[in-house]
Short mmCIF file of all heavy atoms in Angstrom, two decimals:
data_model
loop_
_atom_site.label_atom_id
_atom_site.label_comp_id
_atom_site.label_asym_id
_atom_site.label_seq_id
_atom_site.Cartn_x
_atom_site.Cartn_y
_atom_site.Cartn_z
N PHE A 209 95.39 71.49 118.86
CA PHE A 209 95.66 71.56 120.29
C PHE A 209 95.02 72.78 120.94
O PHE A 209 94.77 72.79 122.14
CB PHE A 209 97.19 71.58 120.51
CG PHE A 209 97.61 71.50 121.95
CD1 PHE A 209 97.38 70.36 122.70
CD2 PHE A 209 98.26 72.57 122.54
CE1 PHE A 209 97.78 70.29 124.02
CE2 PHE A 209 98.67 72.51 123.87
CZ PHE A 209 98.43 71.37 124.61
N ASN A 210 94.73 73.81 120.14
CA ASN A 210 94.07 75.01 120.66
C ASN A 210 92.57 74.81 120.61
O ASN A 210 91.92 75.05 119.59
CB ASN A 210 94.47 76.25 119.84
CG ASN A 210 94.06 77.55 120.50
OD1 ASN A 210 94.23 77.73 121.70
ND2 ASN A 210 93.53 78.47 119.72
N ILE A 211 92.00 74.33 121.71
CA ILE A 211 90.62 73.85 121.69
C ILE A 211 89.58 74.95 121.85
O ILE A 211 88.38 74.70 121.71
CB ILE A 211 90.40 72.77 122.77
CG1 ILE A 211 90.70 73.34 124.17
CG2 ILE A 211 91.26 71.55 122.49
CD1 ILE A 211 90.38 72.37 125.28
N LYS A 212 90.00 76.19 122.17
CA LYS A 212 89.05 77.29 122.27
C LYS A 212 89.73 78.59 121.89
O LYS A 212 90.83 78.88 122.36
CB LYS A 212 88.46 77.40 123.68
CG LYS A 212 87.35 78.45 123.79
CD LYS A 212 86.68 78.41 125.14
CE LYS A 212 85.64 79.51 125.31
NZ LYS A 212 84.54 79.39 124.33
N SER A 213 89.07 79.37 121.05
CA SER A 213 89.60 80.66 120.62
C SER A 213 89.11 81.77 121.53
O SER A 213 87.94 81.79 121.93
CB SER A 213 89.17 80.96 119.19
OG SER A 213 89.46 82.30 118.83
N SER A 214 90.00 82.71 121.83
CA SER A 214 89.60 83.86 122.65
C SER A 214 88.63 84.77 121.91
O SER A 214 87.97 85.62 122.54
CB SER A 214 90.84 84.67 123.07
OG SER A 214 91.48 85.24 121.94
N LEU A 215 88.49 84.61 120.59
CA LEU A 215 87.55 85.42 119.82
C LEU A 215 86.11 84.96 119.98
O LEU A 215 85.19 85.64 119.53
CB LEU A 215 87.93 85.40 118.34
CG LEU A 215 89.27 86.07 118.00
CD1 LEU A 215 89.60 85.89 116.54
CD2 LEU A 215 89.26 87.55 118.36
N GLU A 216 85.92 83.82 120.63
CA GLU A 216 84.56 83.39 120.98
C GLU A 216 84.16 84.14 122.24
O GLU A 216 84.07 83.59 123.33
CB GLU A 216 84.54 81.88 121.21
CG GLU A 216 84.93 81.07 119.98
CD GLU A 216 85.01 79.58 120.28
OE1 GLU A 216 84.03 79.04 120.83
OE2 GLU A 216 86.06 78.98 119.98
N CYS A 217 83.91 85.44 122.07
CA CYS A 217 83.67 86.33 123.21
C CYS A 217 82.43 87.18 122.94
O CYS A 217 81.87 87.17 121.84
CB CYS A 217 84.89 87.24 123.44
SG CYS A 217 85.33 88.25 122.01
N ASP A 218 82.01 87.91 123.94
CA ASP A 218 80.83 88.75 123.84
C ASP A 218 81.00 89.78 122.73
O ASP A 218 82.00 90.50 122.67
CB ASP A 218 80.58 89.46 125.18
CG ASP A 218 79.29 90.25 125.18
OD1 ASP A 218 78.27 89.73 124.69
OD2 ASP A 218 79.32 91.40 125.66
N LYS A 219 80.03 89.84 121.82
CA LYS A 219 80.03 90.77 120.70
C LYS A 219 81.29 90.63 119.85
O LYS A 219 81.79 91.62 119.29
CB LYS A 219 79.89 92.22 121.20
CG LYS A 219 78.58 92.49 121.91
CD LYS A 219 78.45 93.95 122.30
CE LYS A 219 77.11 94.23 122.98
NZ LYS A 219 76.98 95.65 123.39
N GLY A 220 81.80 89.40 119.74
CA GLY A 220 83.04 89.18 119.00
C GLY A 220 82.96 89.62 117.56
O GLY A 220 83.89 90.24 117.03
N SER A 221 81.85 89.31 116.88
CA SER A 221 81.70 89.66 115.47
C SER A 221 81.63 91.17 115.29
O SER A 221 82.27 91.75 114.41
CB SER A 221 80.46 88.99 114.89
OG SER A 221 80.40 89.15 113.49
N GLU A 222 80.86 91.83 116.14
CA GLU A 222 80.72 93.29 116.06
C GLU A 222 82.07 93.97 116.30
O GLU A 222 82.45 94.91 115.59
CB GLU A 222 79.70 93.75 117.10
CG GLU A 222 79.51 95.25 117.15
CD GLU A 222 78.53 95.68 118.23
OE1 GLU A 222 77.66 94.84 118.60
OE2 GLU A 222 78.63 96.81 118.73
N ARG A 223 82.82 93.48 117.27
CA ARG A 223 84.12 94.07 117.58
C ARG A 223 85.13 93.78 116.48
O ARG A 223 85.98 94.63 116.18
CB ARG A 223 84.62 93.53 118.92
CG ARG A 223 83.72 93.94 120.10
CD ARG A 223 84.08 93.18 121.36
NE ARG A 223 85.39 93.60 121.84
CZ ARG A 223 86.10 92.92 122.74
NH1 ARG A 223 85.64 91.79 123.22
NH2 ARG A 223 87.27 93.37 123.13
N PHE A 224 85.03 92.63 115.86
CA PHE A 224 85.92 92.32 114.75
C PHE A 224 85.64 93.25 113.57
O PHE A 224 86.58 93.72 112.91
CB PHE A 224 85.76 90.86 114.33
CG PHE A 224 86.74 90.42 113.28
CD1 PHE A 224 88.06 90.15 113.61
CD2 PHE A 224 86.34 90.27 111.95
CE1 PHE A 224 88.98 89.74 112.64
CE2 PHE A 224 87.25 89.86 110.99
CZ PHE A 224 88.57 89.60 111.34
N ARG A 225 84.37 93.52 113.29
CA ARG A 225 84.04 94.45 112.21
C ARG A 225 84.60 95.85 112.48
O ARG A 225 85.10 96.52 111.58
CB ARG A 225 82.53 94.50 112.00
CG ARG A 225 81.95 93.24 111.38
CD ARG A 225 80.54 93.47 110.85
NE ARG A 225 79.60 93.83 111.89
CZ ARG A 225 78.88 92.96 112.59
NH1 ARG A 225 79.02 91.65 112.36
NH2 ARG A 225 78.03 93.36 113.50
N ASP A 226 84.51 96.29 113.73
CA ASP A 226 85.07 97.61 114.09
C ASP A 226 86.58 97.62 113.85
O ASP A 226 87.14 98.61 113.35
CB ASP A 226 84.78 97.93 115.55
CG ASP A 226 83.31 98.23 115.81
OD1 ASP A 226 82.58 98.54 114.85
OD2 ASP A 226 82.89 98.15 116.99
N PHE A 227 87.24 96.53 114.20
CA PHE A 227 88.68 96.41 114.00
C PHE A 227 89.03 96.46 112.51
O PHE A 227 89.92 97.20 112.08
CB PHE A 227 89.17 95.10 114.62
CG PHE A 227 90.51 94.62 114.14
CD1 PHE A 227 91.69 95.27 114.51
CD2 PHE A 227 90.61 93.53 113.29
CE1 PHE A 227 92.92 94.83 114.06
CE2 PHE A 227 91.84 93.08 112.83
CZ PHE A 227 92.99 93.73 113.21
N ILE A 228 88.31 95.68 111.70
CA ILE A 228 88.56 95.64 110.27
C ILE A 228 88.32 97.01 109.64
O ILE A 228 89.10 97.48 108.81
CB ILE A 228 87.68 94.58 109.58
CG1 ILE A 228 88.12 93.18 110.00
CG2 ILE A 228 87.75 94.71 108.07
CD1 ILE A 228 89.54 92.84 109.65
N ARG A 229 87.26 97.66 110.05
CA ARG A 229 86.93 98.97 109.49
C ARG A 229 88.06 99.96 109.73
O ARG A 229 88.52 100.66 108.81
CB ARG A 229 85.62 99.47 110.10
CG ARG A 229 85.06 100.72 109.44
CD ARG A 229 83.69 101.05 110.01
NE ARG A 229 82.70 100.02 109.68
CZ ARG A 229 82.18 99.17 110.55
NH1 ARG A 229 82.56 99.19 111.83
NH2 ARG A 229 81.29 98.27 110.16
#
Side-chain angles (χ1 to χ4, degrees):
F209 186 66
N210 192 44
I211 60 175
K212 186 173 176 62
S213 169
S214 65
L215 294 175
E216 298 175 52
C217 58
D218 185 44
K219 297 184 178 179
S221 189
E222 178 182 335
R223 296 169 68 195
F224 186 76
R225 289 196 297 270
D226 290 341
F227 162 72
I228 291 300
R229 189 174 294 109

